[in-house]
Amino acid sequence: MGNKLAVITGASTGIGLELARIAAQEGYDLILVADEPQIRTVVDEFRKYDVAVDSVEADLSGVEGVDRLLSATAGRSIDILIANAGIGTGGPFLEQDVAAWRHSVDTNVTGTVYLLQKVLQDMVARGEGRVLVTGSIAGYIPGAFNAIYNATKSFINYFTEALRNELKDSDGVTITTLMPGATDTAFFARAGMLDTELGQDDDKADPAKVAQDGWSAMMDGKGHIVSGVSNKLQVAMSGIVPQSILAEMHRGMAELGSGKDEAL
């Protein structure tokens, strides 16, 4: 029998790349996907593992990009799907380009939902498969100055919870939601949030630790995992503190200029 197949989106950097490393170490063949050319060079580091590795550069904000990813499986069953692709859009919403925030919504929500539907249809038919979806604790907090991203992660958190309930009688198929907090990845640079308290926080989580938390929870068949003790406290607080106060707190962390003065 050949190796099982893991498909990982958003795999060029950060949590996705760390999850790919774990999957390779565990003996899974890989299809690594991202919307940037870097994904084609990332595969070189996986040559040391006794697994087959392929890369797909695809924009997962629409049906066409997801279909391109699925066609790369060449008919192989997907044993593990890690839906990790996501885009942040920091700054005042009214100043954001429509194309930019729409691309974030379509990548984080539309493309992810379509990918989950297509892959889970096959997994349920086979009665076997594991899915890990990257949500975020941001989905529990009104994200002033990162409003689109937090709202999309709220969708993902609740969508996957609903989906788990719909599929609770599908033996052999599990869906796990990984909910990290601020993590030391390229997210803040890409979202234009380096000059913020969040962007300059020196205590961001290690993406390798977050990835291991997510992988372990997925393999244990858990419904969700909040990575990090402080993040668990933030999620608990979100159910108690008024939403307006949470939004103001997020503003203090995400508004441009809230970071430390470089001259100090």
Side-chain angles (χ1 to χ4, degrees):
M1 295 179 63
N3 296 332
K4 292 188 174 183
L5 177 64
V7 172
I8 305 174
T9 70
S12 57
T13 60
I15 297 171
L17 178 57
E18 296 296 340
L19 282 162
R21 287 171 176 152
I22 296 172
Q25 291 166 6
E26 294 295 323
Y28 285 84
D29 287 344
L30 302 174
I31 296 180
L32 307 180
V33 192
D35 64 352
E36 57 184 355
Q38 183 177 344
I39 195 64
R40 301 195 179 280
T41 58
V42 162
V43 299
D44 292 339
E45 88 161 71
F46 293 92
R47 305 303 182 194
K48 61 186 177 183
Y49 301 105
D50 187 23
V51 298
V53 186
D54 194 9
S55 66
V56 179
E57 182 184 347
D59 180 353
L60 299 180
S61 64
V63 170
E64 296 81 4
V66 173
D67 283 342
R68 181 179 176 188
L69 155 60
L70 294 173
S71 68
T73 65
R76 290 185 65 181
S77 296
I78 297 173
D79 299 284
I80 287 179
L81 169 66
I82 298 178
N84 174 72
I87 298 174
T89 48
F93 171 68
L94 296 185
E95 297 178 9
Q96 292 176 10
D97 182 75
V98 173
W101 65 252
R102 182 175 177 180
H103 190 240
S104 179
V105 171
D106 287 342
T107 300
N108 300 0
V109 175
T110 307
T112 299
V113 168
Y114 178 62
L115 177 60
L116 290 176
Q117 183 182 51
K118 297 295 288 186
V119 173
L120 281 165
Q121 285 172 343
D122 182 64
M123 286 182 173
V124 170
R126 293 183 354 249
E128 182 180 15
R130 298 181 186 273
V131 173
L132 179 66
V133 185
T134 302
S136 176
I137 68 165
Y140 295 103
I141 304 169
F145 293 91
N146 201 11
I148 291 292
Y149 178 78
N150 285 40
T152 62
K153 288 304 180 179
S154 180
F155 178 97
I156 291 299
N157 290 350
Y158 288 106
F159 174 75
T160 52
E161 192 68 53
L163 199 53
R164 268 189 296 276
N165 182 268
E166 291 187 19
L167 300 181
K168 67 179 182 178
D169 296 325
S170 299
D171 294 336
V173 178
T174 63
I175 306 171
T176 303
T177 308
L178 170 61
M179 292 181 281
T183 305
D184 189 12
T185 69
F187 172 87
F188 296 96
R190 292 172 176 172
M193 295 178 64
L194 289 179
D195 185 21
T196 66
E197 183 179 320
L198 278 172
Q200 295 185 19
D201 184 5
D202 294 329
D203 294 324
K204 295 187 189 73
D206 179 356
K209 170 64 166 56
V210 174
Q212 187 60 63
D213 285 346
W215 181 272
S216 297
M218 175 184 66
M219 298 308 290
D220 289 342
K222 293 182 179 179
H224 47 74
I225 174 71
V226 178
S227 180
V229 175
S230 63
N231 294 327
K232 289 181 173 66
L233 293 175
Q234 288 190 57
V235 170
M237 184 177 68
S238 70
I240 302 171
V241 178
Q243 296 287 292
S244 59
I245 294 178
L246 292 174
E248 186 64 27
M249 291 172 62
H250 196 278
R251 178 188 187 124
M253 297 184 291
E255 186 173 12
L256 291 176
S258 64
K260 301 174 185 176
D261 189 334
E262 295 290 344
L264 295 179

